[in-house]
Amino acid sequence: MNDFSTSFFQALGLLFHLDSDLWEIVGLSFKVSLSAVMLATFIGLPLGAALAIKKFPGHTAVRIIVDTFMAMPPVVIGLIAYLLLSRAGPLGVFGLLYTPTAMIIAQTLLITPIIVALSQQVFGPLWLKFGEQLRLLNTSTGRTLNTLLLEGRQQLITVWLAGFGRAIAEIGAVMMVGGNIDHYTRVMTTAIALETSKGNLEMAMALGIILMLMALLINILAHTFSRLQRGLT
Amino acid sequence: MANASILPLTLKSVDYHVQQHHLIKQMDITFDHKALTLILGANGAGKTLLLKLCCGLIKNTGGSLQWAEDVSRKKGKPLPFSLVFHKPVLLQRSVMDNICFALQDLPKLSAISRAEAALKWAGIETLAEKNATLLSTGQQQLVAIARAWATAPQVLFLDEPTANLDPDATERMESLIAALHQQGTKIIMSTHNLGQARRLADEIIFVDRGRISEQRDAKQFFAKPQSHVAQRFLATEGFL
Amino acid sequence: MALCLRLLLLILLVGSASQAQTQNVLHLGTTTSIRDSGLLDEIQSAFFKRHHIVLRTLVAGSEQVLSAARRGDLDIVLTHSPNAEATFVAEGFGLQRKPVFYSHFLLVGPKGNEAGLNSQEDLEKKLRAIIQTGLPFISRDDLSGTHMLEKGILDKLQLKPEGKSYIKSGRGMGATLQLADQLQAHTLTDTGTWHNLQSRLSLKVLAGEDRETVNQYSLIALNPERLPHSPDAGAAVFDQWLSGAEGQRVINQFRLNEQQVFHSGVAKKES
């Protein structure tokens, strides 16, 4: 059996010598999760704002759907995406299963509800605070949205960070639709699972260290932004 | 103020309900051009609701609310009236930017010079580049009233504008309000501060539990209030 | 405005993610034993050198691979579960089953003398002894080739293992060996995975070194008429390469612990 501390130092070696396999995996994780969060924000932020501001017809239904998806574990979301994207499924003609694009889609499905719910929580109080004043100033809808986005920017960045953190750390969804294919759909989390099961602890630990550092960084940023927000109001 | 006057504003049997609660009951009021009107009453009487109804922020559930002219404007153009809240609502930007925000219909340079004029009028030029949300409440309220001045409204509503201010700041606000009145802007203001009402009012509208109890000339009101509730109000506030 | 910037960034990212599609790509489905033995890496690089086609390999148990093929998500499969493969072809999803190389199965377990298991007995008898004595045994339980072999033997011996000593891992070969190592239990494994991982495990071979229990790998070309979408043209190229002289040479030259583990062609005695 390997001595764990030997593996640990070998892991550090992999990190510092810029082992190309390792950084390829890290790079893909970033590409997939960043893309997913961008898409999720693009879809989810306006929806969260709409839910917070206007009781449009069907808003309760939307909120229930959002909450239901949020409660689902990533692997179930992965399963849904898998069924949709398989060639035997409704979106099969695009041939997306086992590609990074499928992983982006699955993670977007995973993260969008979180963004919607969290941004609604941000826009709600913002609208309560600024809504009447903006209406009195006869501000257009576009400008209102922009103003709310600016006023809530620190909090919204925290929302974005929460989404990203969730995406980069999950394994269920990307495993299902990506298939953990070598040099193609292998990301940090799926690689850790695989390498551990093969006994390659150095690689697994190296990736684990990166993920932990990332989680740390995200939390530091989130704290900094929320303190900035509180400091100004 | 080159446009036609939007006054008088007439409320006829105006009701306002929230679910089952009947909060504003059958109000009949006429707001004319001349008087500086103070809306007086205890907390919870309905003063704020009345102001919001007049501004169109909430919709009356019964009766009619009629301005002399159409008050709607295209989005981006200022309305012909303004409201100063009792807690100032400013954006996380410079004071200058906050005032310019109200002047979106003007080209940039005109907006800036108008904003500068507003700051000068309110006596707060030194605050121009400061972050508005970091100012004291009194200073923020001055910014709010300067912003309202900048759009040259025909009517300025104020909802207990000095409730959270110290005596110095209150005095400054009151002198600006009086100045606006002098310049021809109709002032409709709520307060529960009798001293302030006495200082500023030409006309008193007394509100009690969602109803108008009295609408009278201020001097007459303070000399001898007609309604029972007003009498009790003056008595308990220490006025004889 | 901020939204526009983000959209642009998004397009760039997604664009670069899919730019890799300009290469020639083939979706192969194969089993964990081929990956965990290290043979897959050899096959991938040798095939790419020769034909410049990238193998995107989905690795799972044999039955899982065949399911994915039925759904049209793969271009060609390489598995080692003869009965399942026969069914697959009979159902019309596969054109034909082509045995291409083989290895063997081993019975492994903890070092140390367990209830007389060190005596000279064949694999099936030892397996029976383990099950009947209630010694811990790990089953793949994932309809993989290895699992099907295990089931075949148990059925033949009319054994129905139950209870806490019969552990179902539901995982690949390498992972199952790791589990056996941690729990100090017995399991069936193919020679490829065993030889690749052996040095890290504190297990030993109990039976199978006589090479009596064969592990036959077969390639199955898929039938375009039964599938939602035609397999990539590269499938035929891979088929010819692997079953042809070059592919067979790669198989035979593959060494683990200086031993030849995989042998080209068909085993004389197929299980």
Side-chain angles (χ1 to χ4, degrees):
Chain A
M1 281 291 276
N2 263 334
D3 182 20
F4 283 153
S5 51
T6 322
S7 302
F8 181 73
F9 288 114
Q10 285 175 320
L12 291 178
L14 281 174
L15 285 174
F16 289 118
H17 288 114
L18 301 173
D19 176 81
S20 67
D21 278 348
L22 174 71
W23 291 103
E24 179 185 42
I25 290 171
V26 174
L28 183 67
S29 294
F30 266 85
K31 263 204 288 207
V32 168
S33 296
L34 266 176
S35 306
V37 158
M38 294 295 205
L39 255 175
T41 311
F42 190 68
I43 301 169
L45 210 78
L47 195 53
L51 282 170
I53 294 172
K54 227 190 179 121
K55 298 230 179 291
F56 56 86
H59 78 277
T60 326
V62 172
R63 189 58 218 239
I64 291 176
I65 293 173
V66 165
D67 286 342
T68 308
F69 267 82
M70 272 215 296
M72 288 206 265
V75 70
V76 174
I77 307 257
L79 177 62
I80 293 174
Y82 181 91
L83 294 170
L84 286 171
L85 298 173
S86 163
R87 286 208 188 263
L91 301 177
V93 327
F94 300 110
L96 287 172
L97 194 64
Y98 305 138
T99 64
T101 311
M103 294 159 82
I104 294 175
I105 293 172
Q107 287 205 332
T108 306
L109 270 175
L110 181 68
I111 302 302
T112 304
I114 298 173
I115 304 273
V116 171
L118 289 179
S119 61
Q120 182 182 359
Q121 272 184 351
V122 170
F123 282 113
L126 276 175
W127 182 246
L128 275 175
K129 185 168 179 202
F130 292 105
E132 288 182 330
Q133 185 66 71
L134 289 171
R135 286 165 63 200
L136 276 170
L137 293 171
N138 209 17
T139 321
S140 66
T141 318
R143 202 137 199 270
T144 302
L145 222 95
N146 263 327
T147 308
L148 290 178
L149 275 172
L150 278 171
E151 285 302 304
R153 61 187 174 274
Q154 285 100 345
Q155 285 171 288
L156 290 171
I157 290 177
T158 315
V159 169
W160 189 95
L161 285 170
F164 180 71
R166 189 88 152 82
I168 200 132
E170 73 89 19
I171 182 173
V174 289
M175 184 67 105
M176 293 289 269
V177 301
N180 199 20
I181 296 174
D182 201 14
H183 299 299
Y184 190 49
T185 58
R186 192 164 293 173
V187 292
M188 289 195 273
T189 49
T190 57
I192 288 177
L194 176 63
E195 298 300 327
T196 308
S197 78
K198 280 161 70 173
N200 283 347
L201 294 177
E202 314 79 49
M203 189 63 138
M205 279 197 213
L207 291 165
I209 290 170
I210 295 177
L211 270 174
M212 284 198 285
L213 286 174
M214 280 225 53
L216 188 63
L217 184 66
I218 288 174
N219 272 296
I220 292 175
L221 283 172
H223 271 268
T224 312
F225 280 111
S226 64
R227 278 182 49 219
L228 276 174
Q229 175 79 33
R230 275 182 274 131
L232 277 166
T233 40
Chain B
M1 297 216 284
N3 304 318
S5 174
I6 58 176
L7 291 164
L9 166 63
T10 315
L11 276 70
K12 281 208 183 80
S13 305
V14 165
D15 283 306
Y16 181 66
H17 292 83
V18 172
Q19 289 163 351
Q20 279 82 339
H21 301 117
H22 195 179
L23 300 171
I24 297 287
K25 301 165 185 157
Q26 299 284 299
M27 280 195 177
D28 288 296
I29 311 174
T30 306
F31 294 101
D32 68 14
H33 298 84
K34 284 183 299 186
L36 197 161
T37 306
L38 247 67
I39 302 175
L40 195 60
N43 281 327
K47 308 191 290 297
T48 305
L49 286 175
L50 173 56
L51 289 172
K52 287 191 181 179
L53 281 165
C54 294
C55 288
L57 287 175
I58 54 182
K59 185 103 181 60
N60 52 310
T61 51
S64 75
L65 198 148
Q66 193 73 28
W67 292 91
E69 292 286 328
D70 182 22
V71 293
S72 64
R73 297 284 182 271
K74 245 173 72 169
K75 286 285 180 194
K77 277 198 154 324
L79 299 172
F81 55 80
S82 253
L83 170 61
V84 172
F85 292 99
H86 78 279
K87 248 180 100 176
V89 178
L90 301 173
L91 303 171
Q92 269 184 49
R93 315 179 182 184
S94 71
V95 166
M96 192 65 176
D97 286 339
N98 265 282
I99 299 189
C100 288
F101 188 87
L103 302 167
Q104 293 152 48
D105 62 320
L106 295 178
K108 187 137 193 231
L109 287 174
S110 312
I112 292 178
S113 67
R114 181 81 185 151
E116 283 170 353
L119 291 175
K120 193 155 176 216
W121 173 79
I124 49 171
E125 303 102 300
T126 51
L127 301 179
E129 294 307 320
K130 292 222 196 300
N131 184 316
T133 53
L134 297 177
L135 302 174
S136 72
T137 316
Q139 291 170 320
Q140 288 189 17
Q141 225 21 335
L142 290 172
V143 175
I145 201 173
R147 178 176 62 189
W149 179 93
T151 59
Q154 293 187 31
V155 179
L156 180 60
F157 295 93
L158 300 108
D159 188 10
E160 304 198 26
T162 59
N164 298 325
L165 305 184
D166 63 45
D168 275 337
T170 303
E171 202 188 312
R172 271 183 89 174
M173 278 295 282
E174 287 185 8
S175 69
L176 287 173
I177 293 169
L180 266 173
H181 175 64
Q182 292 288 357
Q183 287 158 28
T185 307
K186 165 76 177 178
I187 302 287
I188 302 172
M189 185 171 135
S190 71
T191 189
H192 66 264
N193 180 332
L194 284 175
Q196 184 170 78
R198 240 181 176 220
R199 284 191 289 277
L200 295 176
D202 292 329
E203 166 187 67
I204 297 286
I205 295 180
F206 192 84
V207 178
D208 173 61
R209 283 168 294 179
R211 282 187 205 283
I212 303 290
S213 307
E214 301 188 43
Q215 179 174 12
R216 288 173 75 202
D217 170 77
K219 285 201 199 61
Q220 292 175 356
F221 175 80
F222 285 113
K224 189 166 174 56
Q226 284 176 339
S227 62
H228 206 52
V229 284
Q231 287 167 7
R232 252 197 318 203
F233 185 77
L234 293 179
T236 54
E237 294 287 319
F239 261 63
L240 297 156
Chain C
M1 172 218 55
L3 282 166
C4 283
L5 271 169
R6 289 165 147 187
L7 194 58
L8 206 67
L9 197 58
L10 171 68
I11 293 170
L12 283 168
L13 280 167
V14 175
S16 63
S18 53
Q19 138 251 53
Q21 303 282 38
T22 50
Q23 299 172 290
N24 281 327
V25 151
L26 182 66
H27 288 94
L28 167 71
T30 193
T31 68
T32 58
S33 53
I34 292 192
R35 176 194 64 199
D36 293 342
S37 59
L39 180 62
L40 181 59
D41 283 343
E42 278 297 317
I43 292 178
Q44 277 180 169
S45 54
F47 183 63
F48 183 74
K49 254 194 222 143
R50 182 73 179 81
H51 288 286
H52 296 290
I53 298 176
V54 176
L55 278 177
R56 300 257 187 251
T57 314
L58 180 72
V59 177
S62 293
E63 186 54 48
Q64 238 186 308
V65 166
L66 294 173
S67 294
R70 284 191 189 94
R71 276 190 298 270
D73 293 325
L74 296 170
D75 294 321
I76 191 168
V77 301
L78 174 64
T79 51
H80 66 138
S81 189
N83 291 334
E85 291 159 9
T87 311
F88 187 75
V89 172
E91 285 170 349
F93 289 105
L95 289 170
Q96 73 172 136
R97 172 179 172 260
K98 195 191 284 186
V100 280
F101 59 89
Y102 61 95
S103 67
H104 299 89
F105 280 109
L106 300 170
L107 177 65
V108 301
K111 295 181 181 166
N113 203 341
E114 301 271 335
L117 287 175
N118 279 342
S119 56
Q120 287 271 33
E121 287 186 62
D122 71 21
L123 189 143
E124 293 183 4
K125 293 211 178 77
K126 282 199 174 161
L127 183 57
R128 175 166 52 194
I130 289 166
I131 300 293
Q132 286 178 332
T133 323
L135 292 172
F137 180 84
I138 302 186
S139 165
R140 291 282 301 277
D141 196 44
D142 60 350
L143 301 179
S144 59
T146 311
H147 180 218
M148 295 285 82
L149 178 93
E150 173 208 318
K151 265 185 80 162
I153 299 176
L154 291 175
D155 284 346
K156 184 171 154 200
L157 297 175
Q158 295 181 320
L159 289 170
K160 279 191 175 36
E162 279 167 341
K164 285 210 286 224
S165 56
Y166 184 66
I167 301 155
K168 302 177 183 175
S169 77
R171 311 189 61 197
M173 196 66 249
T176 301
L177 278 174
Q178 297 270 331
L179 186 59
D181 188 36
Q182 291 289 330
L183 297 179
Q184 288 291 288
H186 305 80
T187 193
L188 283 169
T189 175
D190 64 286
T191 42
T193 312
W194 169 254
H195 283 292
N196 199 21
L197 299 187
Q198 175 199 27
S199 56
R200 284 181 240 178
L201 305 169
S202 60
L203 299 169
K204 70 176 186 195
V205 177
L206 293 170
E209 279 167 326
D210 54 3
R211 300 190 173 189
E212 283 294 304
T213 322
V214 165
N215 176 23
Q216 180 71 52
Y217 290 92
S218 301
L219 200 56
I220 307 180
L222 304 177
N223 183 2
E225 278 159 52
R226 272 310 289 271
L227 298 176
H229 125 100
S230 301
D232 189 274
V237 179
F238 183 71
D239 190 335
Q240 277 177 349
W241 178 84
L242 191 62
S243 50
E246 224 187 282
Q248 297 286 294
R249 195 174 356 113
V250 170
I251 303 288
N252 285 326
Q253 287 180 349
F254 184 71
R255 294 283 179 273
L256 283 171
N257 297 338
E258 283 147 49
Q259 287 187 51
Q260 179 182 0
V261 172
F262 295 97
H263 305 265
S264 57
V266 188
K268 274 161 276 138
K269 178 176 144 188
E270 252 202 75
S271 293

